[in-house]
Amino acid sequence: MTIKEASQVTGVSADTLRYYERIGLIPAVPRNESGIRNYDEASIGWINFIKCMRGAGLPIEALIEYVALCKEGDKTEASRKAILIEQRDILQQRIESLQKTLVKLNYKIDNYGHLNQEAIKNIKWNE
Amino acid sequence: MTIKEASQVTGVSADTLRYYERIGLIPAVPRNESGIRNYDEASIGWINFIKCMRGAGLPIEALIEYVALCKEGDKTEASRKAILIEQRDILQQRIESLQKTLVKLNYKIDNYGHLNQEAIKNIKWNE
DNA sequence: TCTTGACTTAGAGTGAACTCCAAGATATAA
DNA sequence: TTATATCTTGGAGTTCACTCTAAGTCAAGA
């Protein structure tokens, strides 16, 4: 699969695919004799995984480290798992924080236009 | 309250406070005779609101528009509410998407180190 | 054989959101 | 009054995560 096809399949631009590979955010993609990338199932799987993780806001740094550990083989399994757990916990906290903001926003919306502007003023945005 | 105190109270740097005011992300802060900012309760409330919204990923553009409408008075109430509703809906979708990612991440973590690597490979990251 | 189009690399450019800086005004303490 | 600290502005600089460009290679079709 060429980089163009891989881009279409994953929805990640060819430029970004090259960039991700360059910085180690996805493992090296297999090449043909003339050095042209030939994306296989595993490559596509990596791209989709990374796309999903980036979409959830996981830091590029953590993902690069994760990919690097994967390349080193089975002995890094524990460290890899630890990275995922750490990032999972951060994501969980982030979701909880967003949910609190959603509640406040809903409260503000529900009270809009009513005469109880006092209620809105009492929302504590910093908490 | 000086800009330094406002910065300490809200956790937003003085530079960022000036920047936010400059681009209209918070309404003009009252000044004393010599032009120095004197943050009052309302200013602090605005900063905390904006900080909360930005923390939840609401776009600066939408918030600038919201603030501008607020300045125009009661007649813009409906448009303001519409902005909040639109952004609330986006936030809700974002939370749902993050929750799906969290589930996948948990699944991957739970199966780490077990012999069922097949299970992990079957996670569909693009969906 | 020539053209077309897709690929390669290294490196420059971009936009968002700050963050810092210079030069000058003002305020407080010794 | 002098020193120190904090404020002001406009504008330059920084970082991140791409995104684009230039110069060149390579493969397929007319």
Side-chain angles (χ1 to χ4, degrees):
Chain A
M1 197 186 282
T2 67
I3 196 168
K4 193 177 191 187
E5 288 161 337
S7 166
Q8 283 159 356
V9 166
T10 61
V12 179
S13 80
D15 271 319
T16 302
L17 288 178
R18 286 193 206 96
Y19 166 70
Y20 278 0
E21 190 180 346
R22 185 164 47 185
I23 65 171
L25 192 49
I26 52 172
V29 173
R31 311 290 185 112
N32 68 13
E33 322 74 47
S34 31
I36 289 173
R37 289 175 183 82
N38 181 21
Y39 290 80
D40 57 13
E41 272 303 303
S43 309
I44 300 299
W46 269 107
I47 296 164
N48 284 325
F49 169 64
I50 290 296
K51 190 187 174 193
C52 181
M53 293 303 106
R54 288 292 299 136
L58 270 70
I60 281 187
E61 270 312 306
L63 295 169
I64 287 174
E65 198 189 338
Y66 181 79
V67 171
L69 287 170
C70 282
K71 275 184 245 170
E72 289 181 39
D74 288 351
K75 64 179 193 295
T76 65
E77 211 167 64
S79 344
R80 272 142 55 194
K81 189 172 179 178
I83 291 176
L84 293 186
I85 289 171
E86 187 188 352
Q87 293 304 322
R88 188 266 320 267
D89 292 347
I90 292 170
L91 178 56
Q92 203 149 26
Q93 283 167 32
R94 171 122 188 88
I95 290 171
E96 277 160 30
S97 150
L98 290 181
Q99 263 158 348
K100 280 183 192 162
T101 299
L102 183 62
V103 167
K104 287 175 197 165
L105 207 42
N106 268 321
Y107 189 73
K108 194 172 167 87
I109 289 166
D110 290 344
N111 289 288
Y112 231 94
H114 300 179
L115 293 170
N116 49 348
Q117 292 299 311
E118 268 315 305
I120 291 175
K121 281 191 188 122
N122 286 330
I123 303 174
K124 294 199 178 56
W125 299 103
N126 53 333
E127 262 173 20
Chain B
M1 197 186 283
T2 68
I3 196 167
K4 194 177 191 186
E5 287 162 337
S7 166
Q8 282 159 354
V9 166
T10 61
V12 179
S13 80
D15 270 318
T16 302
L17 288 178
R18 285 193 208 97
Y19 166 71
Y20 279 0
E21 190 178 346
R22 185 163 49 187
I23 65 172
L25 191 50
I26 52 173
V29 173
R31 311 289 184 112
N32 69 12
E33 322 74 49
S34 32
I36 288 173
R37 290 174 183 82
N38 181 21
Y39 289 80
D40 57 13
E41 271 304 301
S43 309
I44 299 299
W46 268 108
I47 297 165
N48 284 324
F49 168 64
I50 290 297
K51 191 189 172 191
C52 180
M53 294 301 108
R54 289 293 298 136
L58 271 71
I60 280 187
E61 269 314 305
L63 295 169
I64 287 175
E65 197 188 340
Y66 181 79
V67 171
L69 288 169
C70 282
K71 274 184 247 171
E72 289 180 40
D74 289 351
K75 65 179 192 297
T76 65
E77 212 168 65
S79 345
R80 271 144 53 194
K81 188 173 180 177
I83 291 176
L84 293 187
I85 288 171
E86 186 188 352
Q87 294 304 323
R88 188 266 319 267
D89 292 346
I90 292 169
L91 179 56
Q92 203 148 27
Q93 282 166 34
R94 171 123 189 87
I95 290 172
E96 279 160 29
S97 150
L98 290 181
Q99 264 158 349
K100 280 184 192 162
T101 299
L102 183 62
V103 168
K104 286 177 197 166
L105 206 42
N106 269 321
Y107 189 72
K108 194 172 168 82
I109 289 167
D110 291 343
N111 289 288
Y112 231 92
H114 299 180
L115 293 171
N116 50 348
Q117 292 300 311
E118 269 315 305
I120 292 175
K121 283 192 187 123
N122 286 331
I123 304 174
K124 293 198 179 54
W125 299 102
N126 52 335
E127 262 173 20

